[in-house]
Amino acid sequence: MKCRICREKAIIGLPQHNLALCADHFDNWMLKRAAKAIDEFKMFTKDSKILVAVSGGKDSLALWDILTRLDYNAHGLYINLGIKENDYSDESEELSRTFANRIGKKLHVINVKELHGMSIPDKAYSKKRKTCSVCGVTKRYYMNKTAREGNFDVIVTGHNLDDQAAALLGNFLYWKFDYLAKGAPYSPPLRKGEFAKAKPLILCTEKENTVYCLLQGIDYIQKECPYSEGATFLRWKHILNEIEENSPGAKQAFYLGYVKYIDIFKARNIDMPDSRCEICDIPSWNEVCSFCALWDLNKK
């Protein structure tokens, strides 16, 4: 297999693009794919202050590296969830810190157990809730809190094409209109003074992000989260991978087709509540927001 551009030995085949690339041209191609998504969906500019949600995994570290190489002002945020199985959280944090030092960027670190005296798994057990649910509420709160306090213009995450297509499939199967209305690659600020949210790697696959990290020598955590085992989300990914193998480009056509017609699913405007949480003062539909209720802050 030879590189479609220079005819040297290719290191990756991209059948969905009818393309094969050598290491140098693949590296350039990845930068261009991210830049295309940023420009096409008008995510942010070189003047924007960007907060990258970092997990220590391949997607978020690849994203932070690419944004840095494209000369964007991108800081990182790592949230230590206190997952002790296989030293998952501590190893992820160490890899994130090491990478931040490598690129010379600021990494904000939040340790949930230090702040609340309890890890995410322990809180889930005490509340008799699923760990992923507690994790989601907590991470969203601290991402938003960090963005507000640091005057960031946008929060970016490492969600890739596989992630978005799998989420879309699950939401379609169960007709979850609230989620179908919010699956775009870019979400503008809901009101002045707030921040946007974006997914710059939306045109890149999980495989491509992995190869990018290997070529750049980026050390990332290769363990899966212990609580993701058996997740329905992984089943949707497996189904889509089978479809993609027989019909290259199907995942991209599926997701980008949805993005093109997303307004169909916006039955009502997504708005931000006018009221605020009486505990932490963030916008909330209830007197006490879901985060403060979860962590029993209303009882202190």
Side-chain angles (χ1 to χ4, degrees):
M1 186 169 59
K2 294 184 178 181
C3 176
R4 182 77 175 272
I5 299 173
C6 69
R7 309 308 297 171
E8 293 294 324
K9 183 179 179 180
I11 54 94
I12 187 172
L14 304 168
Q16 70 273 33
H17 302 290
N18 191 27
L19 196 61
L21 296 171
C22 66
D24 287 343
H25 285 113
F26 173 72
D27 178 65
N28 187 52
W29 185 82
M30 284 290 288
L31 296 179
K32 287 182 177 180
R33 293 297 280 178
K36 178 181 179 181
I38 293 167
D39 292 342
E40 185 173 328
F41 296 106
K42 298 178 175 59
M43 294 180 174
F44 42 80
T45 69
K46 293 292 175 68
D47 294 325
S48 301
K49 188 178 180 183
I50 302 165
L51 182 65
V52 184
V54 178
S55 68
K58 57 186 177 303
D59 299 304
S60 60
L61 294 185
L63 172 60
W64 200 6
D65 190 67
I66 287 171
L67 292 179
T68 300
R69 294 179 64 194
L70 291 174
D71 295 323
Y72 284 102
N73 179 22
H75 301 234
L77 167 66
Y78 178 80
I79 302 172
N80 189 312
L81 307 171
I83 298 175
K84 292 299 183 183
E85 289 87 341
N86 299 323
D87 295 321
Y88 182 78
S89 288
D90 289 343
E91 183 177 339
S92 298
E93 179 178 336
E94 182 59 31
L95 289 168
S96 300
R97 287 183 182 276
T98 298
F99 182 76
N101 289 334
R102 166 179 162 168
I103 62 174
K105 292 290 185 176
K106 170 72 175 180
L107 177 68
H108 302 262
V109 177
I110 290 171
N111 189 300
V112 173
K113 188 172 183 178
E114 288 181 1
L115 289 172
H116 299 284
M118 190 178 292
S119 69
I120 291 291
D122 289 341
K123 172 56 72 172
Y125 179 80
S126 72
K127 288 286 187 175
K128 295 181 173 57
R129 289 180 56 171
K130 292 183 178 180
T131 303
C132 293
S133 170
V134 174
C135 177
V137 170
T138 304
K139 286 198 296 188
R140 282 192 295 274
Y141 174 83
Y142 279 113
M143 286 164 59
N144 294 345
K145 184 175 188 290
T146 304
R148 287 193 182 96
E149 292 179 350
N151 294 316
F152 285 92
D153 298 301
V154 58
I155 298 173
V156 301
T157 57
H159 290 89
N160 56 53
L161 178 61
D162 302 80
D163 295 329
Q164 292 304 105
L168 178 59
L169 177 60
N171 291 333
F172 262 129
L173 287 174
Y174 293 97
W175 290 105
K176 297 180 179 180
F177 275 89
D178 283 348
Y179 290 101
L180 287 169
K182 299 185 289 186
Y186 172 76
S187 300
L190 292 176
R191 65 186 180 195
K192 187 176 180 180
E194 286 295 317
F195 44 83
K197 295 185 177 181
K199 304 176 179 73
L201 294 185
I202 200 63
L203 301 179
C204 303
T205 66
E206 187 173 335
K207 173 186 174 181
E208 291 157 11
N209 292 341
T210 301
V211 173
Y212 177 85
C213 285
L214 292 174
L215 290 176
Q216 292 297 315
I218 297 172
D219 194 11
Y220 61 90
I221 191 161
Q222 299 186 38
K223 306 168 186 173
E224 294 291 340
C225 174
Y227 296 94
S228 68
E229 186 176 351
T232 306
F233 180 74
L234 298 179
R235 192 179 310 150
W236 305 147
K237 274 192 172 184
H238 178 71
I239 291 170
L240 286 168
N241 285 338
E242 288 187 341
I243 295 172
E244 182 74 18
E245 187 174 347
N246 292 297
S247 302
K251 279 189 281 193
Q252 179 171 286
F254 177 50
Y255 180 70
L256 293 184
Y258 154 75
V259 171
K260 183 178 180 180
Y261 298 108
I262 192 172
D263 287 344
I264 295 173
F265 302 102
K266 294 182 179 179
R268 61 182 177 83
N269 292 328
I270 302 170
D271 201 1
M272 180 177 285
D274 291 327
S275 59
R276 306 183 79 86
C277 173
E278 63 182 26
I279 307 298
C280 68
D281 200 40
I282 68 167
S284 173
W285 294 108
N286 303 307
E287 290 183 359
V288 177
C289 71
S290 57
F291 173 82
C292 289
L294 170 67
W295 288 96
D296 300 314
L297 301 186
N298 53 329
K299 297 180 181 179
K300 294 183 178 181

